[in-house]
Amino acid sequence: MKKNSNKIVDTLKRPLRDLRISVIDQCNFRCAYCMPKELFGDNYPFLPLSELLSFDEIERISKLFASLGVEKIRLTGGEPLVRKDMHLLVERLNKIDGIKDIALTTNGVYLPKYAQALKEAGLSRVNVSLDALADELFGQINGRNVKVNAVLKGIDAAVEAGLLVKVNMVVKKGLNDNQILPMAKYFKEKNINLRFIEFMDVGNSNGWDLSQVVSKKEIVEMISKEIPVEPLDPNYYGEVASRYRYVDSTAEFGVISSVTDSFCSSCTRVRLSADGKIYTCLFAEKGFDLRALVRQEFSDESLLQSLIDVWENRKDRYSDERLENTRKGKKRKNKIEMSYIGG
Ligand code: SAM
Ligand code: SF4
Ligand code: SF4
C-alpha cells in the first residue's frame, strides 16, 4: 500500500489524521466519572478476549487508516496496560508506513513494569492521568484506593525510559478543584506538562451536569492569581489543548476545554473501539462494525472503501452543539461509554 496515497476529508472538510485505539474495555481503576463502581461491578460483562480485536487485526486496520492520512496513533482503553504484551503491538504499529507518532494514555500504575519495553518498541509519548495529589481524595476518585505514589512512580519510570510525558487531570467542581493549584505547582517544579480537562458528559453513567464543570477561564484565572502565566500558540493544526507558559520558567500547562470552548472544527480524530467498531466522535451513539467485515474476510480494498465512506459522511460536532442543546434540555441518551470507546 502506498504511503498516505489517499487523503480524505469529511463533510466539514476536516482531514483524517489521528487514530485512537481502545485495546481493552477493562480497567484496574473505577474512576467515578468514567467507570463508577456501582455500575462496573464484579459481574459486569466485559468483552471476552475473542471479541477484542487481535493484534493482527489492529495492525491491518491501522495500515488501512495510515493509507488514508492517519499519522498518529494513540493507544487507550479502559486501561491499555491491562492488556498483555502491549509492547509487541507498539512494535508492529511503529513499522507502518506513514505513522509518525505512537502515544499511550494510561493511569500509570503499570508503567514501572512496562515503560522501558514500550519505549524500546517505538512508543514516543505517554499521557498519565492523575486527578489529585491528596491520597484520600485520589483513592476515592479512582474507586480502588490506589495511592498517588503508585502513579508518581509510573510517571518517573516513563521519564527515565525517555518517553515524553504529559499528565492529564480531569477537573470536577466540588470534587477536586482544590487540587488545581497543588497540581500546577508540583508539575511546574518537575517541568512536566500538566493538562486540565473539563469534566465531560461522555457515556451515560457519570451523571454529568454543566454546574460540575470548572471552565478553562476559571482554571487559568485560578493559576495566574498565584503564578504569572502567558498564552502560547498551538503547536499544530487540531491541537486540543490551549497552551500556557509560566512566565518565570520553561514549564507549560494546557487546558482541554471540550465544554466551554470546543474545537470540533479542527477535529481530525477517529476512534476504534476494543471490539472493532469505528466511531467518528467521542460522543457518538453508533459505530460502524469494521470487525464484522474483517472477520468475514473482506479484501483490503473493500475495507478501505468502507473507511472512506464513513469518514466522508462524517458530520459530528457534538461539543460545538452541546451548550445550545443543554440549554434546550436536549440530551443524547445512548452515548458510548468512554472505557469502551477510549478517551
Ligand atoms: N485508563 C487510561 C487513563 O485513565 O488514562 C486511559 C483511558 S481514560 C478513558 C482516558 C482519559 O479520559 C483519562 O485521562 C481520563 O481522565 C479521561 N476521562 C474519563 N472520563 C472523563 C470525563 N467524564 N470527562 C473528562 N475526561 C474524562
Ligand atoms: Fe480506568 Fe482510565 Fe476510566 Fe479511570 S479514566 S476508570 S483509569 S479507563
Ligand atoms: Fe471531535 Fe466529537 Fe469531540 Fe467535536 S465532540 S471535538 S467532533 S470528538
Side-chain angles (χ1 to χ4, degrees), residues 196-228:
F196 300 95
I197 305 179
E198 290 180 351
F199 177 47
M200 296 185 290
D201 50 339
V202 275
N204 312 292
S205 53
N206 71 8
W208 183 89
D209 188 299
L210 191 53
S211 67
Q212 299 161 327
V213 177
V214 183
S215 68
K216 169 164 85 176
K217 187 163 171 278
E218 290 170 304
I219 293 171
V220 175
E221 274 174 10
M222 197 183 288
I223 296 175
S224 56
K225 266 190 199 149
E226 291 254 338
I227 321 170

Side-chain angles (χ1 to χ4, degrees), residues 246-265:
Y246 298 106
V247 174
D248 65 350
S249 105
T250 53
E252 61 173 88
F253 69 93
V255 187
I256 301 179
S257 53
S258 162
V259 179
T260 66
D261 186 12
S262 54
F263 34 77
C264 298
S265 62

Side-chain angles (χ1 to χ4, degrees), residues 258-307:
S258 162
V259 179
T260 66
D261 186 12
S262 54
F263 34 77
C264 298
S265 62
S266 60
C267 178
T268 55
R269 292 178 291 282
V270 69
R271 292 177 155 85
L272 179 62
S273 66
D275 60 353
K277 295 203 176 70
I278 301 285
Y279 292 89
T280 52
C281 179
L282 181 55
F283 302 91
E285 291 180 299
K286 233 173 83 208
F288 174 84
D289 191 356
L290 192 66
R291 189 191 65 184
L293 307 190
V294 168
R295 294 197 176 168
Q296 285 167 48
E297 300 184 10
F298 276 54
S299 67
D300 277 356
E301 283 63 36
S302 54
L303 293 183
L304 204 56
Q305 193 51 55
S306 302
L307 298 183

Side-chain angles (χ1 to χ4, degrees), residues 121-136:
L123 190 76
S124 30
R125 300 183 291 124
V126 284
N127 288 1
V128 183
S129 306
L130 178 65
D131 299 331
L133 284 175
D135 257 336
E136 198 175 322

Side-chain angles (χ1 to χ4, degrees), residues 44-222:
Y44 187 83
F46 288 108
L47 294 165
L49 191 58
S50 60
E51 289 201 27
L52 298 180
L53 289 179
S54 67
F55 285 0
D56 282 343
E57 290 168 335
I58 293 177
E59 183 184 3
R60 179 173 177 212
I61 294 169
S62 301
K63 277 184 185 159
L64 295 172
F65 271 121
S67 76
L68 295 176
V70 164
E71 297 176 344
K72 291 186 185 177
I73 294 182
R74 175 169 297 280
L75 300 167
T76 175
E79 172 46 48
L81 297 181
V82 165
R83 184 142 178 197
K84 251 179 78 191
D85 292 333
M86 282 299 291
H87 63 290
L88 299 180
L89 177 63
V90 170
E91 200 170 86
R92 288 177 178 214
L93 300 179
N94 194 36
K95 289 185 183 138
I96 297 177
D97 249 2
I99 298 300
K100 297 181 181 153
D101 184 49
I102 304 176
L104 176 101
T105 305
T106 172
N107 60 38
V109 169
Y110 296 115
L111 280 173
K113 196 164 170 195
Y114 297 125
Q116 192 61 44
L118 288 165
K119 170 71 185 169
E120 281 163 20
L123 190 76
S124 30
R125 300 183 291 124
V126 284
N127 288 1
V128 183
S129 306
L130 178 65
D131 299 331
L133 284 175
D135 257 336
E136 198 175 322
L137 176 60
F138 183 57
Q140 182 194 325
I141 295 174
N142 67 53
R144 286 277 160 92
N145 278 321
V146 178
K147 300 268 183 256
V148 174
N149 206 33
V151 181
L152 296 181
K153 277 189 189 156
I155 293 172
D156 287 346
V159 171
E160 271 161 38
L163 291 160
L164 290 173
V165 180
K166 286 182 187 160
V167 171
N168 286 345
M169 169 182 177
V170 176
V171 184
K172 189 173 170 189
K173 198 169 265 175
L175 179 71
N176 65 340
D177 39 350
N178 65 359
Q179 296 291 298
I180 293 175
L181 268 174
M183 288 278 288
K185 287 179 183 163
Y186 183 87
F187 287 105
K188 171 180 182 254
E189 209 50 44
K190 287 208 147 220
N191 207 352
I192 289 180
N193 191 338
L194 170 64
R195 285 136 31 110
F196 300 95
I197 305 179
E198 290 180 351
F199 177 47
M200 296 185 290
D201 50 339
V202 275
N204 312 292
S205 53
N206 71 8
W208 183 89
D209 188 299
L210 191 53
S211 67
Q212 299 161 327
V213 177
V214 183
S215 68
K216 169 164 85 176
K217 187 163 171 278
E218 290 170 304
I219 293 171
V220 175
E221 274 174 10
M222 197 183 288

